[in-house]
Coordinates of all heavy atoms in Angstrom, one line a residue:
M1 N -65.2 -7.0 -48.8 CA -65.5 -6.0 -49.8 C -64.2 -5.1 -49.8 O -63.7 -4.6 -48.8 CB -66.7 -5.1 -49.3 CG -66.7 -3.8 -50.0 SD -68.1 -2.7 -49.5 CE -67.8 -2.5 -47.8
A2 N -63.7 -5.0 -51.0 CA -62.5 -4.1 -51.2 C -62.9 -2.9 -52.1 O -63.4 -3.1 -53.2 CB -61.4 -4.9 -51.9
L3 N -62.8 -1.8 -51.5 CA -63.1 -0.6 -52.2 C -62.0 -0.1 -53.1 O -60.8 -0.2 -52.7 CB -63.5 0.6 -51.2 CG -64.7 0.4 -50.4 CD1 -64.9 1.6 -49.4 CD2 -66.0 0.2 -51.3
L4 N -62.3 0.3 -54.3 CA -61.3 0.9 -55.1 C -61.2 2.4 -54.9 O -62.2 3.1 -55.1 CB -61.6 0.6 -56.6 CG -60.8 1.4 -57.7 CD1 -59.4 0.9 -57.7 CD2 -61.4 1.2 -59.0
F5 N -60.1 2.9 -54.4 CA -59.9 4.3 -54.1 C -59.8 5.0 -55.5 O -58.9 4.7 -56.3 CB -58.7 4.6 -53.3 CG -58.3 6.0 -53.1 CD1 -59.1 6.9 -52.3 CD2 -57.3 6.6 -53.9 CE1 -58.7 8.2 -52.2 CE2 -56.9 7.9 -53.8 CZ -57.6 8.7 -52.9
V6 N -60.6 6.0 -55.8 CA -60.5 6.8 -57.0 C -59.8 8.1 -56.8 O -58.9 8.5 -57.6 CB -61.9 7.0 -57.6 CG1 -61.9 7.9 -58.9 CG2 -62.6 5.7 -57.9
G7 N -60.2 8.8 -55.8 CA -59.5 10.1 -55.5 C -60.1 10.9 -54.4 O -61.1 10.6 -53.9
I8 N -59.4 11.9 -54.0 CA -59.7 12.8 -53.0 C -59.8 14.2 -53.5 O -59.1 14.6 -54.5 CB -58.7 12.7 -51.8 CG1 -59.2 13.4 -50.6 CG2 -57.3 13.2 -52.2 CD1 -58.4 13.1 -49.3
D9 N -60.6 15.1 -52.9 CA -60.7 16.5 -53.3 C -59.3 17.1 -53.5 O -58.5 17.0 -52.6 CB -61.5 17.2 -52.2 CG -61.6 18.7 -52.5 OD1 -61.2 19.2 -53.5 OD2 -62.2 19.4 -51.6
P10 N -59.0 17.6 -54.7 CA -57.7 18.1 -55.0 C -57.3 19.3 -54.1 O -56.1 19.6 -53.9 CB -57.7 18.4 -56.4 CG -59.1 18.6 -56.8 CD -59.9 17.7 -55.9
N11 N -58.3 19.9 -53.5 CA -58.0 21.1 -52.6 C -58.2 20.7 -51.2 O -58.3 21.6 -50.3 CB -59.0 22.2 -53.0 CG -58.7 22.8 -54.3 OD1 -57.8 22.4 -55.0 ND2 -59.5 23.8 -54.7
A12 N -58.2 19.4 -50.9 CA -58.4 19.0 -49.5 C -57.3 19.4 -48.6 O -56.1 19.3 -49.0 CB -58.6 17.4 -49.4
G13 N -57.6 20.0 -47.5 CA -56.6 20.3 -46.5 C -56.4 19.2 -45.5 O -56.9 18.0 -45.8
D14 N -55.8 19.4 -44.4 CA -55.5 18.4 -43.4 C -56.8 17.9 -42.8 O -56.8 16.8 -42.3 CB -54.6 18.9 -42.4 CG -53.2 19.2 -42.9 OD1 -52.9 18.6 -43.9 OD2 -52.5 19.9 -42.2
R15 N -57.8 18.7 -42.8 CA -59.0 18.3 -42.0 C -60.2 18.0 -42.9 O -61.3 17.6 -42.4 CB -59.4 19.5 -41.0 CG -58.3 19.7 -40.0 CD -58.7 20.8 -39.2 NE -57.6 21.3 -38.4 CZ -57.6 22.0 -37.4 NH1 -58.7 22.4 -36.9 NH2 -56.5 22.4 -36.8
Q16 N -60.2 18.2 -44.1 CA -61.3 18.0 -45.0 C -60.9 17.0 -46.1 O -59.8 17.2 -46.7 CB -61.8 19.3 -45.6 CG -62.3 20.3 -44.6 CD -63.0 21.4 -45.2 OE1 -63.5 21.4 -46.3 NE2 -63.1 22.5 -44.4
S17 N -61.7 16.0 -46.4 CA -61.3 15.1 -47.3 C -62.5 14.4 -48.1 O -62.6 13.2 -48.0 CB -60.5 14.0 -46.6 OG -61.2 13.4 -45.6
P18 N -63.3 15.2 -48.8 CA -64.3 14.5 -49.7 C -63.6 13.5 -50.6 O -62.5 13.9 -51.2 CB -64.9 15.7 -50.4 CG -64.7 16.9 -49.5 CD -63.4 16.7 -48.9
T19 N -64.1 12.3 -50.6 CA -63.4 11.2 -51.2 C -64.3 10.4 -52.1 O -65.5 10.3 -51.8 CB -62.7 10.3 -50.2 OG1 -61.9 11.1 -49.3 CG2 -61.8 9.3 -50.8
V20 N -63.8 9.8 -53.2 CA -64.6 8.9 -54.0 C -64.0 7.5 -54.1 O -62.7 7.4 -54.3 CB -64.6 9.5 -55.5 CG1 -65.4 8.6 -56.4 CG2 -65.2 10.9 -55.5
W21 N -64.8 6.5 -53.9 CA -64.4 5.1 -54.0 C -65.4 4.4 -54.9 O -66.5 4.9 -55.1 CB -64.4 4.4 -52.7 CG -63.5 4.8 -51.6 CD1 -62.2 4.4 -51.4 CD2 -63.8 5.7 -50.5 NE1 -61.7 4.9 -50.3 CE2 -62.6 5.7 -49.7 CE3 -64.9 6.4 -50.2 CZ2 -62.6 6.5 -48.6 CZ3 -64.8 7.2 -49.0 CH2 -63.7 7.2 -48.3
V22 N -65.1 3.2 -55.4 CA -66.0 2.4 -56.1 C -66.0 1.0 -55.4 O -65.0 0.5 -55.0 CB -65.5 2.2 -57.6 CG1 -66.3 1.1 -58.3 CG2 -65.6 3.5 -58.3
D23 N -67.2 0.5 -55.2 CA -67.4 -0.9 -54.7 C -67.7 -1.7 -56.0 O -68.9 -1.6 -56.5 CB -68.6 -0.9 -53.7 CG -68.8 -2.3 -53.2 OD1 -68.5 -3.3 -53.9 OD2 -69.4 -2.4 -52.1
R24 N -66.7 -2.3 -56.5 CA -66.9 -3.1 -57.8 C -67.9 -4.3 -57.6 O -68.6 -4.6 -58.5 CB -65.6 -3.5 -58.3 CG -64.8 -2.4 -58.9 CD -63.5 -3.0 -59.5 NE -62.8 -1.9 -60.3 CZ -61.6 -2.0 -60.6 NH1 -60.8 -3.1 -60.3 NH2 -61.0 -1.1 -61.3
E25 N -67.8 -4.9 -56.4 CA -68.7 -6.0 -56.2 C -70.2 -5.7 -56.3 O -71.0 -6.4 -56.9 CB -68.4 -6.6 -54.8 CG -69.1 -7.9 -54.5 CD -68.6 -8.5 -53.2 OE1 -67.4 -8.7 -53.0 OE2 -69.5 -8.6 -52.3
R26 N -70.5 -4.6 -55.6 CA -71.9 -4.1 -55.6 C -72.2 -3.2 -56.7 O -73.4 -2.8 -56.9 CB -72.2 -3.4 -54.3 CG -72.2 -4.3 -53.1 CD -72.6 -3.6 -51.9 NE -72.6 -4.5 -50.8 CZ -72.7 -4.2 -49.5 NH1 -72.7 -2.9 -49.2 NH2 -72.7 -5.1 -48.6
R27 N -71.2 -2.8 -57.5 CA -71.4 -1.8 -58.6 C -72.0 -0.5 -58.1 O -73.0 -0.1 -58.6 CB -72.2 -2.4 -59.7 CG -71.4 -3.6 -60.4 CD -72.1 -4.2 -61.5 NE -72.4 -3.2 -62.6 CZ -73.3 -3.4 -63.5 NH1 -74.0 -4.4 -63.5 NH2 -73.5 -2.4 -64.4
E28 N -71.4 0.1 -57.1 CA -71.8 1.3 -56.5 C -70.7 2.3 -56.3 O -69.5 1.9 -56.1 CB -72.4 1.0 -55.1 CG -73.6 0.1 -55.1 CD -74.1 -0.2 -53.7 OE1 -73.3 -0.1 -52.7 OE2 -75.2 -0.7 -53.6
L29 N -71.0 3.6 -56.4 CA -70.1 4.6 -56.0 C -70.2 4.8 -54.5 O -71.3 4.8 -53.9 CB -70.4 5.9 -56.7 CG -70.5 5.9 -58.2 CD1 -70.7 7.4 -58.7 CD2 -69.2 5.4 -58.8
V30 N -69.1 5.0 -53.8 CA -69.1 5.3 -52.4 C -68.5 6.7 -52.2 O -67.3 6.9 -52.7 CB -68.3 4.3 -51.6 CG1 -68.3 4.6 -50.1 CG2 -68.9 2.9 -51.8
L31 N -69.2 7.7 -51.7 CA -68.8 9.1 -51.6 C -68.7 9.5 -50.2 O -69.6 9.3 -49.4 CB -69.7 10.0 -52.4 CG -70.0 9.6 -53.9 CD1 -71.1 10.5 -54.4 CD2 -68.7 9.8 -54.7
Q32 N -67.7 10.2 -49.9 CA -67.5 10.9 -48.6 C -67.6 12.3 -48.9 O -66.8 12.8 -49.7 CB -66.2 10.5 -47.9 CG -66.0 11.3 -46.6 CD -64.6 10.9 -46.0 OE1 -64.1 9.8 -46.2 NE2 -64.0 11.9 -45.3
G33 N -68.4 13.1 -48.2 CA -68.6 14.5 -48.4 C -68.9 15.2 -47.2 O -68.9 14.7 -46.1
W34 N -69.1 16.5 -47.3 CA -69.4 17.4 -46.2 C -70.8 17.2 -45.8 O -71.7 17.0 -46.6 CB -69.1 18.8 -46.5 CG -67.7 19.1 -46.9 CD1 -66.6 18.8 -46.2 CD2 -67.2 19.8 -48.0 NE1 -65.5 19.2 -46.8 CE2 -65.8 19.8 -48.0 CE3 -67.9 20.3 -49.1 CZ2 -65.1 20.4 -49.0 CZ3 -67.1 20.9 -50.1 CH2 -65.7 21.0 -50.0
K35 N -71.1 17.3 -44.5 CA -72.5 17.3 -44.1 C -73.1 18.6 -44.6 O -72.5 19.7 -44.6 CB -72.5 17.3 -42.5 CG -72.1 16.0 -41.9 CD -72.1 16.1 -40.4 CE -71.7 14.8 -39.8 NZ -71.7 14.8 -38.3
P36 N -74.4 18.5 -44.9 CA -75.1 19.7 -45.4 C -75.4 20.7 -44.2 O -75.4 20.2 -43.0 CB -76.4 19.2 -46.0 CG -76.6 18.0 -45.2 CD -75.3 17.4 -44.9
T37 N -75.6 21.9 -44.5 CA -76.1 22.8 -43.5 C -77.5 22.4 -43.1 O -78.2 21.7 -43.9 CB -76.1 24.3 -44.0 OG1 -77.1 24.3 -45.1 CG2 -74.7 24.8 -44.5
P38 N -77.9 22.8 -41.9 CA -79.3 22.5 -41.5 C -80.3 23.0 -42.6 O -81.3 22.3 -42.8 CB -79.5 23.2 -40.2 CG -78.1 23.2 -39.6 CD -77.2 23.5 -40.8
E39 N -80.1 24.1 -43.2 CA -81.0 24.7 -44.2 C -81.1 23.8 -45.4 O -82.1 23.5 -46.0 CB -80.6 26.1 -44.6 CG -80.6 27.1 -43.5 CD -79.4 27.1 -42.5 OE1 -78.4 26.5 -42.8 OE2 -79.6 27.6 -41.4
I40 N -79.9 23.3 -45.9 CA -79.9 22.4 -47.1 C -80.6 21.1 -46.8 O -81.4 20.6 -47.6 CB -78.4 22.2 -47.6 CG1 -77.9 23.5 -48.2 CG2 -78.4 21.1 -48.6 CD1 -76.4 23.4 -48.6
A41 N -80.3 20.5 -45.6 CA -80.9 19.2 -45.2 C -82.4 19.4 -45.1 O -83.2 18.5 -45.6 CB -80.3 18.8 -43.9
A42 N -82.9 20.5 -44.6 CA -84.3 20.7 -44.4 C -85.0 20.9 -45.8 O -86.1 20.4 -46.1 CB -84.6 22.0 -43.6
E43 N -84.3 21.6 -46.7 CA -84.8 21.8 -48.1 C -84.9 20.5 -48.8 O -85.9 20.2 -49.5 CB -84.0 22.8 -48.8 CG -84.6 23.1 -50.2 CD -83.8 24.2 -51.0 OE1 -83.0 24.9 -50.4 OE2 -84.1 24.3 -52.2
C44 N -83.9 19.7 -48.7 CA -83.9 18.3 -49.3 C -85.0 17.5 -48.8 O -85.8 16.8 -49.5 CB -82.6 17.6 -49.1 SG -81.2 18.3 -50.1
A45 N -85.2 17.5 -47.4 CA -86.2 16.7 -46.8 C -87.6 17.2 -47.2 O -88.6 16.4 -47.2 CB -86.0 16.7 -45.3
A46 N -87.8 18.5 -47.4 CA -89.1 19.0 -47.7 C -89.5 19.0 -49.2 O -90.6 19.2 -49.5 CB -89.2 20.5 -47.2
T47 N -88.5 18.7 -50.0 CA -88.8 18.7 -51.5 C -89.6 17.4 -51.9 O -89.2 16.3 -51.6 CB -87.5 18.8 -52.3 OG1 -86.8 19.9 -51.9 CG2 -87.7 18.8 -53.8
E48 N -90.6 17.7 -52.6 CA -91.4 16.5 -53.2 C -91.0 16.3 -54.6 O -90.9 17.2 -55.4 CB -92.9 16.9 -53.1 CG -93.5 16.9 -51.7 CD -95.0 17.0 -51.7 OE1 -95.6 16.2 -52.4 OE2 -95.5 17.8 -50.9
V49 N -90.7 15.0 -54.9 CA -90.2 14.6 -56.2 C -91.2 13.5 -56.6 O -91.4 12.6 -55.8 CB -88.8 14.1 -56.2 CG1 -88.3 13.7 -57.6 CG2 -87.9 15.2 -55.7
P50 N -91.7 13.5 -57.9 CA -92.6 12.4 -58.3 C -91.9 11.0 -58.1 O -90.8 10.8 -58.4 CB -92.7 12.7 -59.8 CG -92.5 14.1 -60.0 CD -91.4 14.5 -58.9
G51 N -92.7 10.2 -57.5 CA -92.2 8.8 -57.2 C -91.3 8.7 -56.0 O -90.7 7.6 -55.8
H52 N -91.2 9.7 -55.3 CA -90.2 9.7 -54.1 C -90.9 10.3 -52.9 O -91.6 11.3 -53.0 CB -89.0 10.6 -54.4 CG -87.9 10.5 -53.4 ND1 -87.9 11.2 -52.3 CD2 -86.8 9.7 -53.4 CE1 -86.8 10.9 -51.6 NE2 -86.1 10.0 -52.3
A53 N -90.8 9.5 -51.8 CA -91.5 10.0 -50.6 C -90.8 11.3 -50.1 O -89.5 11.4 -50.2 CB -91.4 8.9 -49.5
K54 N -91.5 12.1 -49.4 CA -90.9 13.3 -48.8 C -90.1 12.9 -47.6 O -90.4 12.0 -46.9 CB -92.1 14.2 -48.4 CG -91.8 15.7 -48.2 CD -93.1 16.4 -47.9 CE -92.9 17.8 -47.8 NZ -94.2 18.5 -47.4
G55 N -89.0 13.6 -47.4 CA -88.1 13.3 -46.3 C -86.9 12.5 -46.7 O -86.7 12.2 -47.9
I56 N -86.0 12.2 -45.8 CA -84.8 11.5 -46.0 C -84.9 10.2 -45.2 O -84.9 10.3 -43.9 CB -83.5 12.3 -45.6 CG1 -83.5 13.6 -46.4 CG2 -82.2 11.5 -45.8 CD1 -82.5 14.7 -45.9
P57 N -84.9 9.1 -45.8 CA -85.0 7.8 -45.0 C -83.8 7.7 -44.1 O -82.7 8.2 -44.3 CB -85.0 6.7 -46.1 CG -85.4 7.4 -47.4 CD -84.9 8.8 -47.2
D58 N -84.0 6.9 -43.0 CA -83.0 6.7 -42.0 C -81.7 6.1 -42.5 O -80.6 6.3 -42.0 CB -83.5 5.9 -40.8 CG -84.6 6.6 -40.0 OD1 -84.6 7.9 -40.0 OD2 -85.3 6.0 -39.3
N59 N -81.8 5.3 -43.6 CA -80.7 4.6 -44.1 C -80.0 5.4 -45.3 O -79.2 4.9 -46.0 CB -81.0 3.2 -44.6 CG -82.0 3.2 -45.8 OD1 -82.8 4.2 -45.9 ND2 -81.9 2.2 -46.6
E60 N -80.4 6.7 -45.4 CA -79.8 7.5 -46.5 C -79.3 8.8 -45.8 O -79.6 9.2 -44.7 CB -80.8 7.9 -47.5 CG -81.3 6.7 -48.3 CD -82.3 7.1 -49.4 OE1 -82.5 8.3 -49.7 OE2 -82.9 6.1 -50.0
A61 N -78.4 9.5 -46.6 CA -77.8 10.8 -46.1 C -77.7 11.7 -47.2 O -77.4 11.3 -48.4 CB -76.5 10.5 -45.4
V62 N -77.8 13.0 -47.0 CA -77.5 14.0 -47.9 C -76.0 14.5 -47.7 O -75.7 14.7 -46.5 CB -78.4 15.2 -47.8 CG1 -78.0 16.4 -48.7 CG2 -79.8 14.8 -48.1
I63 N -75.2 14.5 -48.7 CA -73.8 15.0 -48.5 C -73.6 16.1 -49.6 O -74.3 16.2 -50.6 CB -72.8 13.9 -48.7 CG1 -72.8 13.2 -50.1 CG2 -73.0 12.9 -47.6 CD1 -71.7 12.3 -50.3
R64 N -72.5 16.8 -49.4 CA -72.1 17.9 -50.3 C -70.7 17.5 -50.9 O -69.9 17.1 -50.1 CB -72.0 19.2 -49.6 CG -73.3 19.7 -49.1 CD -73.2 21.0 -48.3 NE -72.1 21.8 -48.6 CZ -71.2 22.2 -47.7 NH1 -71.2 21.8 -46.5 NH2 -70.2 23.0 -48.1
I65 N -70.6 17.6 -52.2 CA -69.3 17.3 -52.9 C -69.0 18.5 -53.7 O -69.8 19.0 -54.5 CB -69.5 16.0 -53.8 CG1 -69.9 14.8 -53.0 CG2 -68.3 15.8 -54.7 CD1 -68.8 14.2 -52.2
P66 N -67.7 19.0 -53.7 CA -67.4 20.2 -54.5 C -67.4 19.8 -56.0 O -67.0 18.7 -56.4 CB -66.0 20.6 -54.0 CG -65.4 19.4 -53.3 CD -66.6 18.5 -52.8
A67 N -67.8 20.8 -56.8 CA -67.9 20.6 -58.2 C -66.5 20.3 -58.8 O -66.4 19.6 -59.8 CB -68.4 21.9 -58.9
R68 N -65.4 20.7 -58.2 CA -64.1 20.4 -58.7 C -63.8 18.9 -58.7 O -62.8 18.4 -59.2 CB -63.0 21.1 -57.9 CG -63.0 20.8 -56.5 CD -61.9 21.7 -55.7 NE -62.1 21.5 -54.3 CZ -62.7 22.3 -53.5 NH1 -63.3 23.4 -54.0 NH2 -62.8 22.1 -52.2
M69 N -64.7 18.1 -58.0 CA -64.5 16.6 -58.0 C -65.2 15.9 -59.1 O -65.2 14.7 -59.2 CB -64.9 16.1 -56.6 CG -64.0 16.5 -55.5 SD -64.5 15.9 -53.9 CE -64.2 14.1 -54.1
V70 N -65.8 16.6 -60.0 CA -66.6 16.0 -61.1 C -65.7 15.0 -61.9 O -66.1 13.9 -62.2 CB -67.2 17.0 -62.1 CG1 -67.7 16.4 -63.3 CG2 -68.3 17.8 -61.4
R71 N -64.5 15.3 -62.2 CA -63.6 14.4 -62.9 C -63.4 13.1 -62.1 O -63.5 12.0 -62.8 CB -62.2 15.1 -63.1 CG -61.2 14.2 -63.8 CD -59.8 14.7 -63.8 NE -59.2 14.8 -62.4 CZ -58.8 13.8 -61.7 NH1 -58.8 12.6 -62.2 NH2 -58.3 13.9 -60.5
L72 N -63.3 13.2 -60.8 CA -63.1 11.9 -60.0 C -64.4 11.1 -60.1 O -64.4 9.9 -60.1 CB -62.8 12.3 -58.6 CG -61.4 12.9 -58.4 CD1 -61.3 13.4 -56.9 CD2 -60.3 12.0 -58.8
I73 N -65.6 11.8 -60.0 CA -66.8 11.1 -60.0 C -67.0 10.4 -61.4 O -67.5 9.3 -61.5 CB -68.0 12.0 -59.7 CG1 -67.8 12.4 -58.2 CG2 -69.4 11.4 -59.9 CD1 -68.7 13.6 -57.8
R74 N -66.6 11.1 -62.5 CA -66.7 10.5 -63.8 C -65.8 9.2 -63.9 O -66.2 8.2 -64.5 CB -66.3 11.5 -64.9 CG -67.4 12.5 -65.2 CD -67.0 13.4 -66.4 NE -68.0 14.4 -66.6 CZ -67.7 15.7 -66.6 NH1 -66.5 16.2 -66.6 NH2 -68.7 16.6 -66.8
E75 N -64.6 9.4 -63.3 CA -63.7 8.2 -63.3 C -64.3 7.0 -62.6 O -64.2 5.9 -63.0 CB -62.4 8.7 -62.7 CG -61.3 7.6 -62.7 CD -60.0 8.1 -62.1 OE1 -59.7 9.3 -62.2 OE2 -59.3 7.2 -61.6
A76 N -65.0 7.3 -61.4 CA -65.6 6.3 -60.7 C -66.8 5.7 -61.4 O -67.0 4.4 -61.4 CB -66.1 6.9 -59.3
C77 N -67.5 6.5 -62.2 CA -68.6 6.0 -63.0 C -68.1 5.0 -64.1 O -68.7 3.9 -64.3 CB -69.4 7.1 -63.6 SG -70.4 8.1 -62.5
D78 N -67.0 5.4 -64.7 CA -66.4 4.5 -65.7 C -65.9 3.2 -65.1 O -66.0 2.1 -65.7 CB -65.2 5.2 -66.4 CG -65.6 6.3 -67.3 OD1 -66.8 6.4 -67.7 OD2 -64.8 7.2 -67.6
A79 N -65.4 3.2 -63.9 CA -64.9 2.0 -63.2 C -66.0 1.1 -62.7 O -65.8 -0.1 -62.7 CB -64.0 2.4 -62.0
V80 N -67.2 1.6 -62.4 CA -68.2 0.8 -61.9 C -69.1 0.2 -63.0 O -69.8 -0.8 -62.8 CB -69.1 1.6 -60.9 CG1 -70.1 2.5 -61.6 CG2 -69.8 0.7 -59.9
E81 N -69.1 0.8 -64.2 CA -69.9 0.3 -65.3 C -69.2 -1.0 -65.9 O -68.0 -1.1 -65.9 CB -70.0 1.3 -66.4 CG -71.0 2.4 -66.1 CD -71.2 3.4 -67.2 OE1 -70.3 3.6 -68.0 OE2 -72.3 4.0 -67.2
P82 N -70.1 -1.9 -66.3 CA -69.6 -3.2 -66.9 C -68.8 -2.9 -68.2 O -69.0 -2.0 -68.9 CB -70.8 -4.0 -67.1 CG -72.0 -3.1 -67.0 CD -71.5 -1.8 -66.4

């Protein structure tokens, strides 16, 4: 699997690097972001959404991405669409 690097948070410092990639083979976005605060994770896990089980499955994660990365996420969406 070869990931296509799309971009990194334009305000990333030496220690923080929210990043966007595209897995063209699987047609998926791959995002690296900040871990949520315990409060955000708990709120996400407690939220009931129609057709969705309460909680966060073991094979999923909640991440935070800064809004300034919307342009990179749009670029990744364009790259992953047929």
